[in-house]
mmCIF file of all heavy atoms in Angstrom:
data_model
loop_
_atom_site.group_PDB
_atom_site.id
_atom_site.type_symbol
_atom_site.label_atom_id
_atom_site.label_comp_id
_atom_site.label_asym_id
_atom_site.label_seq_id
_atom_site.Cartn_x
_atom_site.Cartn_y
_atom_site.Cartn_z
ATOM 1 N N ALA I 145 7.748 -62.509 -63.874
ATOM 2 C CA ALA I 145 6.905 -63.624 -64.319
ATOM 3 C C ALA I 145 6.436 -63.413 -65.750
ATOM 4 O O ALA I 145 6.141 -62.308 -66.160
ATOM 5 C CB ALA I 145 5.706 -63.786 -63.373
ATOM 6 N N ASN I 146 6.319 -64.504 -66.445
ATOM 7 C CA ASN I 146 5.746 -64.526 -67.767
ATOM 8 C C ASN I 146 4.287 -65.051 -67.638
ATOM 9 O O ASN I 146 4.084 -66.268 -67.486
ATOM 10 C CB ASN I 146 6.571 -65.443 -68.697
ATOM 11 C CG ASN I 146 6.005 -65.546 -70.115
ATOM 12 O OD1 ASN I 146 6.026 -66.611 -70.701
ATOM 13 N ND2 ASN I 146 5.486 -64.468 -70.635
ATOM 14 N N HIS I 147 3.347 -64.125 -67.637
ATOM 15 C CA HIS I 147 1.936 -64.514 -67.489
ATOM 16 C C HIS I 147 1.470 -65.226 -68.757
ATOM 17 O O HIS I 147 1.991 -65.002 -69.834
ATOM 18 C CB HIS I 147 1.081 -63.304 -67.198
ATOM 19 C CG HIS I 147 1.373 -62.664 -65.876
ATOM 20 N ND1 HIS I 147 2.499 -61.934 -65.651
ATOM 21 C CD2 HIS I 147 0.659 -62.631 -64.725
ATOM 22 C CE1 HIS I 147 2.499 -61.472 -64.407
ATOM 23 N NE2 HIS I 147 1.393 -61.907 -63.833
ATOM 24 N N LYS I 148 0.493 -66.044 -68.606
ATOM 25 C CA LYS I 148 0.012 -66.835 -69.754
ATOM 26 C C LYS I 148 -0.505 -65.960 -70.915
ATOM 27 O O LYS I 148 -0.345 -66.275 -72.053
ATOM 28 C CB LYS I 148 -1.084 -67.821 -69.327
ATOM 29 C CG LYS I 148 -0.550 -68.989 -68.527
ATOM 30 C CD LYS I 148 -1.564 -70.108 -68.427
ATOM 31 C CE LYS I 148 -0.900 -71.396 -67.878
ATOM 32 N NZ LYS I 148 -1.824 -72.540 -67.862
ATOM 33 N N ARG I 149 -1.063 -64.767 -70.521
ATOM 34 C CA ARG I 149 -1.543 -63.890 -71.561
ATOM 35 C C ARG I 149 -0.398 -63.207 -72.363
ATOM 36 O O ARG I 149 -0.591 -62.659 -73.444
ATOM 37 C CB ARG I 149 -2.421 -62.763 -70.982
ATOM 38 C CG ARG I 149 -1.719 -61.820 -70.012
ATOM 39 C CD ARG I 149 -2.679 -60.822 -69.424
ATOM 40 N NE ARG I 149 -2.050 -59.908 -68.505
ATOM 41 C CZ ARG I 149 -1.805 -60.129 -67.230
ATOM 42 N NH1 ARG I 149 -2.152 -61.328 -66.712
ATOM 43 N NH2 ARG I 149 -1.229 -59.216 -66.466
ATOM 44 N N HIS I 150 0.856 -63.282 -71.830
ATOM 45 C CA HIS I 150 2.020 -62.718 -72.503
ATOM 46 C C HIS I 150 2.913 -63.779 -73.091
ATOM 47 O O HIS I 150 3.917 -63.462 -73.723
ATOM 48 C CB HIS I 150 2.868 -61.886 -71.501
ATOM 49 C CG HIS I 150 2.153 -60.723 -70.939
ATOM 50 N ND1 HIS I 150 2.306 -60.298 -69.638
ATOM 51 C CD2 HIS I 150 1.216 -59.889 -71.486
ATOM 52 C CE1 HIS I 150 1.537 -59.243 -69.394
ATOM 53 N NE2 HIS I 150 0.883 -58.976 -70.506
ATOM 54 N N TYR I 151 2.552 -65.016 -72.912
ATOM 55 C CA TYR I 151 3.419 -66.107 -73.385
ATOM 56 C C TYR I 151 3.516 -66.155 -74.887
ATOM 57 O O TYR I 151 2.542 -65.973 -75.620
ATOM 58 C CB TYR I 151 2.918 -67.459 -72.876
ATOM 59 C CG TYR I 151 3.621 -68.656 -73.536
ATOM 60 C CD1 TYR I 151 4.939 -68.961 -73.187
ATOM 61 C CD2 TYR I 151 2.970 -69.422 -74.451
ATOM 62 C CE1 TYR I 151 5.577 -70.052 -73.774
ATOM 63 C CE2 TYR I 151 3.613 -70.502 -75.060
ATOM 64 C CZ TYR I 151 4.904 -70.792 -74.707
ATOM 65 O OH TYR I 151 5.576 -71.826 -75.325
ATOM 66 N N LEU I 161 4.289 -59.090 -60.470
ATOM 67 C CA LEU I 161 3.033 -59.737 -60.109
ATOM 68 C C LEU I 161 1.987 -58.695 -59.748
ATOM 69 O O LEU I 161 2.306 -57.621 -59.205
ATOM 70 C CB LEU I 161 3.266 -60.688 -58.914
ATOM 71 C CG LEU I 161 4.299 -61.760 -59.120
ATOM 72 C CD1 LEU I 161 4.375 -62.669 -57.879
ATOM 73 C CD2 LEU I 161 3.995 -62.609 -60.356
ATOM 74 N N GLU I 178 -1.458 -62.082 -53.294
ATOM 75 C CA GLU I 178 -1.217 -62.267 -54.732
ATOM 76 C C GLU I 178 0.150 -62.892 -54.998
ATOM 77 O O GLU I 178 0.298 -63.788 -55.807
ATOM 78 C CB GLU I 178 -1.348 -60.959 -55.462
ATOM 79 C CG GLU I 178 -2.793 -60.485 -55.670
ATOM 80 C CD GLU I 178 -3.556 -61.352 -56.678
ATOM 81 O OE1 GLU I 178 -2.897 -62.133 -57.409
ATOM 82 O OE2 GLU I 178 -4.772 -61.258 -56.698
ATOM 83 N N VAL I 179 1.177 -62.392 -54.268
ATOM 84 C CA VAL I 179 2.523 -62.989 -54.433
ATOM 85 C C VAL I 179 2.552 -64.429 -54.080
ATOM 86 O O VAL I 179 3.115 -65.271 -54.805
ATOM 87 C CB VAL I 179 3.552 -62.179 -53.622
ATOM 88 C CG1 VAL I 179 4.894 -62.868 -53.651
ATOM 89 C CG2 VAL I 179 3.694 -60.775 -54.156
ATOM 90 N N PHE I 180 1.890 -64.774 -52.965
ATOM 91 C CA PHE I 180 1.900 -66.172 -52.533
ATOM 92 C C PHE I 180 1.111 -67.054 -53.510
ATOM 93 O O PHE I 180 1.540 -68.170 -53.846
ATOM 94 C CB PHE I 180 1.358 -66.336 -51.118
ATOM 95 C CG PHE I 180 1.425 -67.728 -50.557
ATOM 96 C CD1 PHE I 180 2.627 -68.245 -50.180
ATOM 97 C CD2 PHE I 180 0.315 -68.515 -50.515
ATOM 98 C CE1 PHE I 180 2.727 -69.562 -49.693
ATOM 99 C CE2 PHE I 180 0.383 -69.817 -50.029
ATOM 100 C CZ PHE I 180 1.586 -70.354 -49.611
ATOM 101 N N GLU I 181 -0.066 -66.569 -53.930
ATOM 102 C CA GLU I 181 -0.876 -67.334 -54.859
ATOM 103 C C GLU I 181 -0.156 -67.612 -56.175
ATOM 104 O O GLU I 181 -0.256 -68.710 -56.725
ATOM 105 C CB GLU I 181 -2.207 -66.620 -55.139
ATOM 106 C CG GLU I 181 -3.188 -66.660 -53.970
ATOM 107 C CD GLU I 181 -4.494 -65.940 -54.293
ATOM 108 O OE1 GLU I 181 -4.558 -65.293 -55.361
ATOM 109 O OE2 GLU I 181 -5.384 -65.970 -53.455
ATOM 110 N N GLU I 182 0.539 -66.580 -56.675
ATOM 111 C CA GLU I 182 1.146 -66.691 -58.002
ATOM 112 C C GLU I 182 2.542 -67.298 -58.012
ATOM 113 O O GLU I 182 2.989 -67.786 -59.044
ATOM 114 C CB GLU I 182 1.141 -65.362 -58.676
ATOM 115 C CG GLU I 182 -0.283 -64.818 -58.951
ATOM 116 C CD GLU I 182 -0.301 -63.566 -59.775
ATOM 117 O OE1 GLU I 182 0.792 -63.023 -60.064
ATOM 118 O OE2 GLU I 182 -1.403 -63.109 -60.132
ATOM 119 N N SER I 183 3.221 -67.271 -56.828
ATOM 120 C CA SER I 183 4.575 -67.800 -56.829
ATOM 121 C C SER I 183 4.927 -68.705 -55.656
ATOM 122 O O SER I 183 6.011 -69.310 -55.655
ATOM 123 C CB SER I 183 5.592 -66.594 -56.807
ATOM 124 O OG SER I 183 5.511 -65.920 -55.574
ATOM 125 N N ARG I 184 4.073 -68.710 -54.636
ATOM 126 C CA ARG I 184 4.243 -69.542 -53.425
ATOM 127 C C ARG I 184 5.433 -69.089 -52.559
ATOM 128 O O ARG I 184 5.915 -69.848 -51.744
ATOM 129 C CB ARG I 184 4.443 -71.032 -53.762
ATOM 130 C CG ARG I 184 3.415 -71.637 -54.663
ATOM 131 C CD ARG I 184 1.987 -71.352 -54.217
ATOM 132 N NE ARG I 184 1.584 -72.145 -53.050
ATOM 133 C CZ ARG I 184 0.388 -72.114 -52.502
ATOM 134 N NH1 ARG I 184 -0.545 -71.326 -53.000
ATOM 135 N NH2 ARG I 184 0.095 -72.871 -51.446
ATOM 136 N N ILE I 217 10.052 -70.707 -55.694
ATOM 137 C CA ILE I 217 9.079 -70.328 -56.683
ATOM 138 C C ILE I 217 8.333 -71.532 -57.235
ATOM 139 O O ILE I 217 8.961 -72.489 -57.666
ATOM 140 C CB ILE I 217 9.754 -69.635 -57.888
ATOM 141 C CG1 ILE I 217 10.368 -68.286 -57.398
ATOM 142 C CG2 ILE I 217 8.771 -69.332 -58.999
ATOM 143 C CD1 ILE I 217 11.204 -67.593 -58.494
ATOM 144 N N GLN I 218 6.990 -71.468 -57.196
ATOM 145 C CA GLN I 218 6.131 -72.472 -57.824
ATOM 146 C C GLN I 218 5.054 -71.697 -58.553
ATOM 147 O O GLN I 218 4.056 -71.273 -57.927
ATOM 148 C CB GLN I 218 5.504 -73.378 -56.728
ATOM 149 C CG GLN I 218 6.494 -74.158 -55.911
ATOM 150 C CD GLN I 218 5.809 -74.983 -54.839
ATOM 151 O OE1 GLN I 218 4.852 -75.705 -55.104
ATOM 152 N NE2 GLN I 218 6.324 -74.898 -53.630
ATOM 153 N N PRO I 219 5.209 -71.460 -59.815
ATOM 154 C CA PRO I 219 4.230 -70.659 -60.583
ATOM 155 C C PRO I 219 2.834 -71.152 -60.489
ATOM 156 O O PRO I 219 2.598 -72.397 -60.569
ATOM 157 C CB PRO I 219 4.776 -70.679 -62.018
ATOM 158 C CG PRO I 219 6.228 -71.021 -61.862
ATOM 159 C CD PRO I 219 6.318 -71.941 -60.687
ATOM 160 N N GLN I 220 1.857 -70.294 -60.316
ATOM 161 C CA GLN I 220 0.455 -70.664 -60.313
ATOM 162 C C GLN I 220 0.058 -71.140 -61.720
ATOM 163 O O GLN I 220 0.051 -70.375 -62.646
ATOM 164 C CB GLN I 220 -0.402 -69.444 -59.869
ATOM 165 C CG GLN I 220 -1.884 -69.766 -59.735
ATOM 166 C CD GLN I 220 -2.685 -68.549 -59.314
ATOM 167 O OE1 GLN I 220 -2.201 -67.429 -59.422
ATOM 168 N NE2 GLN I 220 -3.871 -68.767 -58.795
ATOM 169 N N ALA I 221 -0.294 -72.398 -61.836
ATOM 170 C CA ALA I 221 -0.478 -73.007 -63.150
ATOM 171 C C ALA I 221 -1.575 -72.333 -63.992
ATOM 172 O O ALA I 221 -1.470 -72.265 -65.185
ATOM 173 C CB ALA I 221 -0.818 -74.498 -62.954
ATOM 174 N N SER I 222 -2.606 -71.792 -63.322
ATOM 175 C CA SER I 222 -3.714 -71.214 -64.074
ATOM 176 C C SER I 222 -3.399 -69.857 -64.638
ATOM 177 O O SER I 222 -4.136 -69.408 -65.564
ATOM 178 C CB SER I 222 -4.944 -71.129 -63.165
ATOM 179 O OG SER I 222 -4.675 -70.294 -62.059
ATOM 180 N N GLU I 223 -2.398 -69.154 -64.122
ATOM 181 C CA GLU I 223 -2.097 -67.789 -64.583
ATOM 182 C C GLU I 223 -0.676 -67.529 -65.048
ATOM 183 O O GLU I 223 -0.454 -66.714 -65.954
ATOM 184 C CB GLU I 223 -2.417 -66.798 -63.443
ATOM 185 C CG GLU I 223 -3.891 -66.742 -63.054
ATOM 186 C CD GLU I 223 -4.193 -65.538 -62.127
ATOM 187 O OE1 GLU I 223 -3.403 -64.602 -62.154
ATOM 188 O OE2 GLU I 223 -5.176 -65.660 -61.414
ATOM 189 N N ILE I 224 0.306 -68.257 -64.504
ATOM 190 C CA ILE I 224 1.710 -67.965 -64.758
ATOM 191 C C ILE I 224 2.322 -69.065 -65.565
ATOM 192 O O ILE I 224 2.294 -70.246 -65.166
ATOM 193 C CB ILE I 224 2.469 -67.769 -63.411
ATOM 194 C CG1 ILE I 224 1.768 -66.736 -62.507
ATOM 195 C CG2 ILE I 224 3.929 -67.358 -63.701
ATOM 196 C CD1 ILE I 224 1.727 -65.363 -63.091
ATOM 197 N N HIS I 225 2.945 -68.723 -66.664
ATOM 198 C CA HIS I 225 3.652 -69.713 -67.497
ATOM 199 C C HIS I 225 5.037 -69.957 -66.903
ATOM 200 O O HIS I 225 5.480 -71.126 -66.856
ATOM 201 C CB HIS I 225 3.805 -69.213 -68.956
ATOM 202 C CG HIS I 225 4.667 -70.070 -69.794
ATOM 203 N ND1 HIS I 225 4.306 -71.318 -70.219
ATOM 204 C CD2 HIS I 225 5.949 -69.892 -70.243
ATOM 205 C CE1 HIS I 225 5.263 -71.879 -70.921
ATOM 206 N NE2 HIS I 225 6.283 -71.020 -70.956
ATOM 207 N N ASP I 226 5.666 -68.926 -66.444
ATOM 208 C CA ASP I 226 7.061 -69.060 -65.898
ATOM 209 C C ASP I 226 7.344 -67.922 -64.986
ATOM 210 O O ASP I 226 6.870 -66.787 -65.206
ATOM 211 C CB ASP I 226 8.093 -69.102 -67.033
ATOM 212 C CG ASP I 226 9.514 -69.287 -66.526
ATOM 213 O OD1 ASP I 226 9.751 -70.151 -65.669
ATOM 214 O OD2 ASP I 226 10.379 -68.481 -66.926
ATOM 215 N N ALA I 227 8.128 -68.155 -63.927
ATOM 216 C CA ALA I 227 8.613 -67.113 -63.018
ATOM 217 C C ALA I 227 9.985 -67.454 -62.585
ATOM 218 O O ALA I 227 10.299 -68.620 -62.247
ATOM 219 C CB ALA I 227 7.669 -67.018 -61.809
#
Side-chain angles (χ1 to χ4, degrees):
N146 178 219
H147 294 74
K148 286 197 169 182
R149 64 183 180 277
H150 297 144
Y151 169 72
L161 302 182
E178 285 291 345
V179 171
F180 185 74
E181 286 179 355
E182 296 188 354
S183 69
R184 309 308 287 182
I217 297 175
Q218 300 177 48
Q220 185 179 18
S222 61
E223 294 190 24
I224 307 296
H225 172 72
D226 179 50

